[in-house]
DNA sequence: GACGACATGTAGAGACGCTACATGTAGGCG
DNA sequence: CGCCTACATGTAGCGTCTCTACATGTCGTC
């Protein structure tokens, strides 16, 4: 899967994995890997800046904790983030329809 | 639809519209607009550089002609372009599966 | 003769995912 | 004890691609 393809689709995916329960960065990476069937193996240089961006935008809120001697920054969805996620799911449907409408082979 | 979302997906779409018959740039724009139900209204600053890029990469071949006093550059799919299009369709299926696997709400 | 549709193109900006690097803890194995 | 892997977070800089804005020119019509 080409790297560029992700552009603009990563944000809603991150929001989706923290929808049910707050998770820290590393756990988000693992969740994405697991939910994507091993396809979505994000480098840390992609994920961490994305999380900070989403927090700065008000879609996530974070909190530090220490578990087993390791520091974790745990992110949870804000109410703005919930709205954004819902919007993102809608956008995806539109996007998918557009792409498939164009990509579909025409025998005509 | 956010602009960035298109990244990496535009190329196969362009190849798809010239699959059946060669078209010139302006006609490609109209074809994309029509097939996307009016959603995909590309600015010329996006389409023309993309066409040149695809030609430089060997996926399209172009030829000038004059119709009604207007110069047209008509693009057709090369055999490499056909392979690329097929690969692009496969990539899309993978991509779609990944995104939907992650985005899908979990009631768990 | 002015305007909208047709037709192609370039320059520069902005966004964001990537590579590579930097730092540090915990636990297992030889 | 020393090394390596997994856990955990982060920054700097690069490259790519789409966008906005601008430039140029023809044709038909009002």
């Amino acid at each position: 899967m080409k790297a560029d393809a992700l552009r603009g689709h990563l944000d809603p995916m991150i929001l989706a994995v923290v929808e049910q329960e707050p998770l820290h960065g590393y756990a988000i990476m693992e969740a994405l890997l697991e939910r994507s069937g091993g396809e979505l193996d994000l480098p840390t240089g992609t994920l961490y800046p994305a999380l900070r961006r989403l927090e700065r935008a008000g879609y996530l809120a974070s909190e530090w904790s220490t578990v087993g001697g390791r520091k974790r920054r745990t992110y949870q969805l804000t109410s703005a983030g919930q709205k954004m996620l819902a919007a993102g799911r809608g956008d995806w449907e539109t996007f998918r329809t557009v792409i498939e409408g164009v990509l579909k082979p025409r025998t005509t």
Side-chain angles (χ1 to χ4, degrees), chain A:
Chain A
M1 198 171 58
K2 288 180 203 124
D4 270 345
L6 269 188
R7 282 221 172 212
H9 303 287
L10 184 57
D11 289 9
M13 285 197 287
I14 291 175
L15 299 180
V17 295
V18 294
E19 188 181 20
Q20 310 151 60
E21 47 172 3
L23 291 174
H24 62 286
Y26 197 87
I28 291 173
M29 262 177 52
E30 287 179 325
L32 288 170
L33 192 62
E34 187 257 328
R35 290 204 193 186
S36 67
E39 291 285 334
L40 204 57
D41 194 5
L42 292 183
T44 67
T46 292
L47 182 64
Y48 290 111
L51 289 172
R52 297 176 142 264
R53 183 162 42 79
L54 289 168
E55 181 170 24
R56 207 164 52 241
Y59 303 133
L60 292 178
S62 73
E63 200 174 288
W64 283 100
S65 64
T66 304
V67 176
R70 282 160 177 140
K71 283 185 181 176
R72 288 178 174 176
R73 191 172 197 164
T74 301
Y75 291 89
Q76 64 174 323
L77 208 56
T78 64
S79 58
Q82 282 172 23
K83 280 175 198 155
M84 194 56 182
L85 174 55
R89 286 189 169 120
D91 287 348
W92 166 254
E93 283 308 314
T94 304
F95 181 73
R96 173 168 153 321
T97 306
V98 166
I99 302 287
E100 290 181 352
V102 174
L103 229 48
K104 183 174 55 185
R106 313 257 166 136
T107 37
T108 326

